Amino acid sequence: METSEIIKKVRKIEIKTRGLSSNIFAGQYHSAFKGRGMAFSEVREYQFGDDVRDIDWNVTARFHRPYVKVFEEERELTVMLLIDVSGSLDFGTQKQMKRDMVTEIAATIAFSAIQNNDKIGVVFFSDKIEKYIPPKKGRKHILYIIREMLDFQPESKRTDVKQAVEFLSSVQKRRTTAFILSDFYVRNDFQQSLQICNRKHDVVAIQVYDQRAKELPDVGLMKVVDAETGFEQYVDTGSKRLRQAYHRYWMNRQAELMETFNKSNVDNVSIATNEDFVKSLLMLFKQRS
């Protein structure tokens, strides 16, 4: 992709996603993702009902009447986007490619984060860590992230979520809010690694999928290519039995994925490329508020 084309795309994504984060997500994001803890703010005179454990004895002794410490929630967070850049994301039969939707969702979360004065960083992953962008603040940093999402060329086409969450646990020492954006087209078990990571951090999973992964259309003989392995085969979509088996396979895989998230206590949402991701994200944020 040429530089001028990338700049146009970055600008287009910024206009759309910045507007969404300003007008729709600002309040929901603020309440859905809490700060690290409580920080001392000020002292004030003791009022009936105040916790006696909050009395500041030094100030109380100085003014000969009780004063209490007032604490405020530390709002500043570090947000990490774990973005799947494997080959299966380069697929879309409906409104857009999975990769395009992942980019828009990631940009919307990023702009919501900086409005809250949070730092934001990125891990691009396939079946290896492709690139790590350390957390920073500011619009310039987010535009750099969007540009990388549009133009990044991974070395591998396969997926390994396990490596991504283990890398997050090793590189981020302080508690972090982490969004995994992927189609979760994975062949290995990552439940234990996800569970360990979510004890240390606050992990949220956002699955982006195409409707054709769920239902095969009845269009006769069709060539199917595995985007991650390159394996090709022809399937007869005119066969009702084959279409039913394909759908069962999807449902079983989804059930296993949901079980992984539930056992790991990870909040999650699944969004199809022909759906409005705004509604799905708002629902996710409201559930956490």
Side-chain angles (χ1 to χ4, degrees):
M1 203 184 294
E2 292 189 7
T3 306
S4 59
E5 194 183 340
I6 292 171
I7 291 168
K8 280 181 190 173
K9 281 201 165 190
V10 169
R11 183 67 184 137
K12 190 177 176 183
I13 289 170
E14 182 192 11
I15 290 167
K16 178 179 178 179
T17 59
R18 202 175 187 184
L20 285 173
S21 59
S22 299
N23 303 325
I24 299 172
F25 291 108
Q28 290 294 340
Y29 173 91
H30 184 91
S31 56
F33 301 99
K34 305 291 189 289
R36 286 191 304 272
M38 306 302 287
F40 172 71
S41 174
E42 60 183 352
V43 293
R44 62 162 169 77
E45 280 198 59
Y46 177 87
Q47 296 171 2
F48 179 75
D50 284 340
D51 192 331
V52 292
R53 290 172 295 184
D54 292 335
I55 291 175
D56 188 319
W57 295 106
N58 290 331
V59 178
T60 297
R62 195 180 310 150
F63 291 100
H64 305 293
R65 54 182 182 272
Y67 276 78
V68 291
K69 294 175 183 176
V70 178
F71 295 86
E72 286 184 352
E73 186 183 16
E74 281 186 286
R75 281 302 320 164
E76 187 179 302
L77 292 171
T78 296
V79 176
M80 290 297 301
L81 302 173
L82 277 60
I83 299 176
D84 183 351
V85 291
S86 63
S88 61
L89 272 289
D90 291 318
F91 179 77
T93 62
Q94 306 289 311
K95 283 171 64 179
Q96 60 184 339
M97 304 278 266
K98 286 187 278 186
R99 192 178 304 284
D100 296 334
M101 179 173 268
V102 164
T103 300
E104 288 191 7
I105 293 172
T108 303
I109 293 169
F111 280 117
S112 300
I114 62 162
Q115 283 183 18
N116 204 51
N117 202 34
D118 296 339
K119 291 179 183 175
I120 188 135
V122 176
V123 176
F124 290 134
F125 72 93
S126 54
D127 61 349
K128 58 189 276 186
I129 304 305
E130 296 274 355
K131 183 164 187 170
Y132 170 55
I133 302 173
K136 284 185 186 175
K137 294 182 184 180
R139 173 179 172 266
K140 192 175 176 183
H141 180 60
I142 290 178
L143 296 183
Y144 165 64
I145 289 171
I146 296 171
R147 194 165 67 245
E148 284 293 296
M149 284 193 285
L150 289 171
D151 201 41
F152 187 77
Q153 298 298 318
E155 291 181 12
S156 176
K157 289 184 177 293
R158 296 174 183 257
T159 314
D160 188 346
V161 175
K162 183 172 180 283
Q163 276 214 35
V165 294
E166 286 176 357
F167 178 79
L168 176 71
S169 293
S170 66
V171 81
Q172 287 296 320
K173 301 305 178 189
R174 300 180 75 176
R175 186 169 172 79
T176 297
T177 296
F179 294 88
I180 309 173
L181 292 100
S182 174
D183 56 6
F184 292 94
Y185 187 74
V186 293
R187 291 175 170 84
N188 62 339
D189 180 30
F190 60 93
Q191 191 257 315
Q192 189 177 9
S193 297
L194 184 63
Q195 194 169 9
I196 291 167
C197 185
N198 196 43
R199 286 189 197 127
K200 182 179 178 182
H201 302 293
D202 179 13
V203 181
V204 179
I206 300 175
Q207 181 192 29
V208 173
Y209 70 94
D210 189 272
Q211 195 66 25
R212 287 290 174 262
K214 190 176 180 180
E215 305 274 359
L216 268 181
D218 183 357
V219 292
L221 203 61
M222 183 171 73
K223 184 165 85 168
V224 178
V225 182
D226 187 315
E228 299 203 354
T229 65
F231 177 74
E232 297 181 7
Q233 65 176 329
Y234 283 90
V235 295
D236 180 13
T237 62
S239 165
K240 186 178 179 182
R241 185 179 291 177
L242 183 134
R243 292 197 308 273
Q244 288 174 340
Y246 184 87
H247 182 64
R248 276 198 305 273
Y249 170 75
W250 162 265
M251 296 302 290
N252 290 338
R253 204 164 65 84
Q254 282 298 101
E256 287 174 11
L257 185 61
M258 293 306 119
E259 188 180 2
T260 294
F261 292 148
N262 291 337
K263 282 184 177 177
S264 307
N265 201 27
V266 166
D267 291 331
N268 62 88
V269 65
S270 295
I271 310 170
T273 52
N274 61 334
E275 291 177 349
D276 180 5
F277 73 81
V278 172
K279 289 179 184 174
S280 299
L281 279 191
L282 273 176
M283 198 179 300
L284 174 69
F285 288 6
K286 282 176 182 174
Q287 284 172 355
R288 293 177 54 95
S289 298

